[in-house]
Amino acid sequence: MMKEIIRVFSFYFYQARKTSRTKTFFWLSTAAILMALLIRTYRIAGNWTESGQVIFQNFLMTFFLQFLIVLMALFYGTAIVSEELENRTMPYLTSRPLARPAIILGKFLAYFCLSSLMLLFSVFISYLILNLDSKFSFSSIWTVLSYFLVLLLGLAAYLSFFNFLGVWLKKPVLVGLAFGFGWESIIQYFPGTTQKLSIAHYLKSLLPRYTTSSGKLGFLFIRLEPTRPWLAVLVLSGVVAVFLLLSCALFSYKEYLYEE
Amino acid sequence: MTAVIEARNLSRWYGNVLGISEVTLDIEPGITALLGPNGAGKSTFMKIVTGQLKPNIGQVRIFGQKVWNNREIFWRLGFCPEVDSFYEGLNGLEFLTGLLVLYGFSPAEVQERAWRALELVELKEVARRPIKSYSRGMRQRIKIAQALAHDPEVLILDEPLNGLDPLSKRKVIRLIKELKNAGKTIVVSSHVLPEVEAMTSEIVLIHQGKILARGDLHFIRELLDQHPHMIRIKSPHYRELARKLAAEDYVLSITFEPENSAVTFETHQRDWFFERLNQLVLESDCRIEEITSPDDNLQAVFDYLVGK
């Protein structure tokens, strides 16, 4: 089945680059660079005294972690099945010698890699812009790499969850929006174990050099009661595995009808 | 001949709506046309045969193997869906190569097969143009190309002539006939009777999810003895022929066309009619220029069977 996954991956990685969705997300991730430039200018004017690392961390948390990866995962994840139904291209795919789980996993990987590349570009450039005055060292590279790995883990977790919604529901985007920007945001402010019912909680627990209340946006994460890093990684990996398995099982069994 | 596609008691519902009901059908190599009005169940049958849908009751086998979730069968099967839809942003060549990659062919073979398929459907010149800029005929042909690019033994073509201009129709019909001559099993669906006639005489009539009749067009016509056959004879002696044949009790009606020097008979015993006609021609001096059967076409058969 690995070969089949790679075949699906190669077709969709190529095809998805040409879609309007990818073009939109490319410009949206590029917007992060513009925002970083604006923040940098604001800071040079003396309005922001925190270090570049702290500002970047806040920026990462608010723009990338709580907005961009959720939005990317929502539109790519739900599209894995629903775009085939909406564009009526499903028969081209399901009449090929491919195991149905390979279709899901291949498309998941293609969209994950595509989103990751867009993130990689904007995260590293934003980091550089916000830390231009810092001395660069291996530890700086490690820091930004750690941030990026957390984002990738979050992207994979959200993507697999939204993929499951797409396989399961006829109109998954609305439910996905409610989850990604409703549940995931609100539950962060709940104390105790309730906040552990969100993906964002485990991602925030993993952020390196995390400070709970520093920075102008510190009030956003003041309630965080972090989970231990190894457990957070385990939970997030579990989310990816469970929702991918569920998606594969459901897609293998389910029929998809569309209006003719 | 051994059946390539075997459908047994296939039934499929969409909620309360009937798709097909108790369809039992063996399809052999050659061209078989599924004929019926929109909503008759042709597409449902094709979707079940190509593993897009599961039947509620019954089973379908291709080369003796089940279809649903059986990826091995898709090496031997090509499907051209009815819908006019394509992947966003791709050109004709990318569309074909992308889908061929899914079979695991080497890159060189993918290219070779894609170009061969483009040549077959006469789209080589526009291969690098975006599909969205193609005419309807070109889009239909690129859909057929994707179905045959991996050289399958069985082709399922859902309304392949739908929306085509006459020239494109001729091209597609010629292509389908060439594929038949290459030994393939081809199932085509259509609701346009003359199109089907141009492709094959082996037809399956579907109406309201059920098979009304199946077989050679002329054989089906023979089954309809309760309905009169029309025989049109063009002859300078058409009046004399009409007078002599009018005495036969199996001649039901006679219609004259003086402007064409022709007469049309209605009979429910075509064999007896022709036997008598031969006798008349031999016995008398009647010269016949043309004999045709105006109602021996799919439209007439279909109308009779659905009781129009």
Side-chain angles (χ1 to χ4, degrees):
Chain A
M1 186 154 94
M2 200 58 212
K3 284 180 180 170
E4 291 173 23
I5 294 171
I6 294 167
R7 287 180 216 158
V8 177
F9 169 84
S10 12
F11 176 47
Y12 280 95
F13 186 73
Y14 179 82
Q15 190 267 332
R17 287 184 308 169
K18 300 196 162 196
T19 61
S20 44
R21 186 188 313 115
T22 300
K23 285 168 192 161
T24 308
F25 278 113
F26 176 77
W27 288 116
L28 204 57
S29 41
T30 310
I33 298 168
L34 291 177
M35 284 163 70
L37 278 170
L38 277 175
I39 295 169
R40 175 84 188 150
T41 316
Y42 186 68
R43 195 164 164 247
I44 287 171
N47 296 320
W48 213 326
T49 52
E50 283 86 0
S51 74
Q53 288 280 7
V54 172
I55 294 172
F56 177 72
Q57 191 174 297
N58 291 339
F59 182 51
L60 187 96
M61 185 81 82
T62 49
F63 184 73
F64 285 101
L65 206 137
Q66 297 194 144
F67 174 69
L68 191 57
I69 65 161
V70 181
L71 204 65
M72 268 184 170
L74 174 65
F75 283 98
Y76 278 112
T78 54
I80 287 175
V81 167
S82 66
E83 72 178 352
E84 304 286 348
L85 295 173
E86 282 160 21
N87 300 336
R88 300 178 173 199
T89 46
M90 185 71 97
Y92 296 128
L93 198 53
T94 50
S95 60
R96 309 289 147 186
L98 299 166
R100 289 196 169 213
I103 294 175
I104 293 291
L105 297 175
K107 285 193 79 174
F108 174 86
L109 277 179
Y111 291 169
F112 176 73
C113 290
L114 201 63
S115 313
S116 303
L117 283 176
M118 287 188 272
L119 285 175
L120 180 76
F121 171 70
S122 55
V123 165
F124 276 80
I125 302 283
S126 307
Y127 182 83
L128 285 176
I129 291 168
L130 293 172
N131 289 279
L132 274 176
D133 52 352
S134 309
K135 279 185 183 174
F136 283 100
S137 62
F138 281 114
S139 67
S140 304
I141 294 170
W142 172 242
T143 306
V144 69
L145 202 64
S146 315
Y147 290 147
F148 185 63
L149 288 175
V150 173
L151 280 186
L152 290 193
L153 197 53
L155 180 69
Y158 283 120
L159 202 59
S160 63
F161 176 73
F162 292 132
N163 171 28
F164 173 70
L165 288 185
V167 175
W168 181 33
L169 303 171
K170 213 170 179 179
K171 303 275 179 199
V173 175
L174 277 181
V175 180
L177 275 173
F179 173 81
F181 297 103
W183 174 264
E184 285 283 283
S185 302
I186 293 164
I187 204 146
Q188 297 301 305
Y189 296 94
F190 284 60
T193 51
T194 320
Q195 59 180 260
K196 292 184 180 175
L197 294 171
S198 70
I199 292 170
H201 165 82
Y202 298 99
L203 292 173
K204 286 177 183 176
S205 303
L206 279 174
L207 280 181
R209 296 193 204 169
Y210 182 75
T211 49
T212 52
S213 57
S214 64
K216 284 195 166 27
L217 298 167
F219 69 94
L220 284 173
F221 7 97
I222 202 159
R223 296 236 179 232
L224 186 75
E225 295 169 24
T227 300
R228 278 171 292 176
W230 67 267
L231 187 61
V233 171
L234 202 67
V235 170
L236 290 168
S237 309
V239 166
V240 176
V242 166
F243 284 110
L244 277 181
L245 275 173
L246 284 173
S247 304
C248 291
L250 191 57
F251 188 66
S252 301
Y253 172 78
K254 202 175 167 185
E255 295 171 306
Y256 292 92
L257 303 172
Y258 43 77
E259 297 289 320
E260 300 237 3
Chain B
M1 213 179 283
T2 318
V4 173
I5 301 171
E6 299 163 87
R8 295 285 174 271
N9 300 315
L10 285 186
S11 296
R12 169 76 206 201
W13 299 275
Y14 303 98
N16 293 329
V17 180
L18 178 73
I20 52 172
S21 173
E22 293 176 10
V23 169
T24 292
L25 191 61
D26 284 345
I27 294 174
E28 289 148 7
I31 304 173
T32 302
L34 296 182
L35 182 71
N38 287 328
K42 306 183 296 291
S43 290
T44 300
F45 177 77
M46 291 189 149
K47 282 175 187 165
I48 292 173
V49 167
T50 55
Q52 312 296 309
L53 291 179
K54 287 183 275 191
N56 293 114
I57 299 173
Q59 60 170 338
V60 64
R61 287 182 175 269
I62 298 181
F63 297 113
Q65 295 182 56
K66 71 176 184 69
V67 180
W68 176 260
N69 263 356
N70 178 6
R71 59 189 189 268
E72 297 307 319
I73 208 70
F74 292 113
W75 282 100
R76 306 174 77 178
L77 179 73
F79 178 43
C80 172
E82 184 188 2
V83 289
D84 184 37
S85 308
F86 299 91
Y87 294 103
E88 188 185 345
L90 298 187
N91 64 36
L93 181 64
E94 289 167 335
F95 177 61
L96 291 189
T97 52
L99 292 176
L100 281 166
V101 161
L102 299 176
Y103 289 88
F105 294 122
S106 68
E109 199 175 352
V110 162
Q111 287 295 323
E112 189 198 322
R113 282 176 181 272
W115 282 109
R116 201 188 308 149
L118 285 164
E119 193 171 5
L120 266 175
V121 298
E122 299 178 28
L123 288 176
K124 267 180 99 169
E125 288 72 27
V126 293
R128 294 186 198 279
R129 250 174 59 185
I131 294 178
K132 65 182 173 194
S133 73
Y134 282 11
S135 68
R136 181 74 197 261
M138 288 170 172
R139 290 204 303 271
Q140 202 70 23
R141 279 184 281 149
I142 198 80
K143 271 198 318 189
I144 295 175
Q146 64 79 30
L148 55 84
H150 62 288
D151 196 22
E153 293 152 79
V154 180
L155 275 164
I156 310 289
L157 311 175
D158 198 353
E159 303 269 4
L161 305 176
N162 208 4
L164 298 188
D165 58 81
L167 182 66
S168 300
K169 265 182 198 169
R170 258 208 316 275
K171 282 182 180 177
V172 172
I173 289 170
R174 193 177 62 210
L175 173 66
I176 291 170
K177 284 181 170 174
E178 281 170 10
L179 292 167
K180 177 213 161 193
N181 293 337
K184 309 224 181 269
T185 303
I186 303 162
V187 184
V188 288
S189 71
S190 179
H191 60 278
V192 183
L193 309 181
E195 290 175 358
V196 169
E197 271 186 310
M199 280 186 279
T200 182
S201 61
E202 182 65 25
I203 58 165
V204 177
L205 293 177
I206 299 187
H207 187 59
Q208 292 181 341
K210 287 180 185 288
I211 292 183
L212 291 179
R214 194 254 146 106
D216 183 273
L217 167 63
H218 305 287
F219 173 71
I220 289 173
R221 192 66 184 77
E222 292 299 328
L223 292 175
L224 302 169
D225 278 344
Q226 67 273 36
H227 297 286
H229 297 250
M230 291 173 78
I231 298 159
R232 182 176 180 271
I233 299 173
K234 193 173 177 189
S235 162
H237 310 107
Y238 70 98
R239 286 184 186 281
E240 192 186 340
L241 278 173
R243 185 174 54 76
K244 287 180 175 169
L245 285 163
E248 306 297 333
D249 57 2
Y250 47 80
V251 174
L252 304 173
S253 74
I254 299 173
T255 311
F256 290 97
E257 291 176 59
E259 67 278 13
N260 297 320
S261 302
V263 59
T264 302
F265 298 92
E266 271 194 328
T267 174
H268 54 73
Q269 293 296 344
R270 197 160 69 162
D271 293 343
W272 295 358
F273 179 88
F274 280 118
E275 203 175 310
R276 179 73 184 121
L277 183 67
N278 286 342
Q279 280 175 0
L280 285 174
V281 171
L282 290 171
E283 287 166 5
S284 60
D285 233 4
C286 292
R287 191 160 52 86
I288 292 175
E289 290 174 354
E290 185 183 88
I291 301 175
T292 52
S293 293
D295 69 341
D296 197 8
N297 58 44
L298 290 176
Q299 182 68 59
V301 175
F302 191 77
D303 287 349
Y304 289 151
L305 286 167
V306 299
K308 278 189 183 172

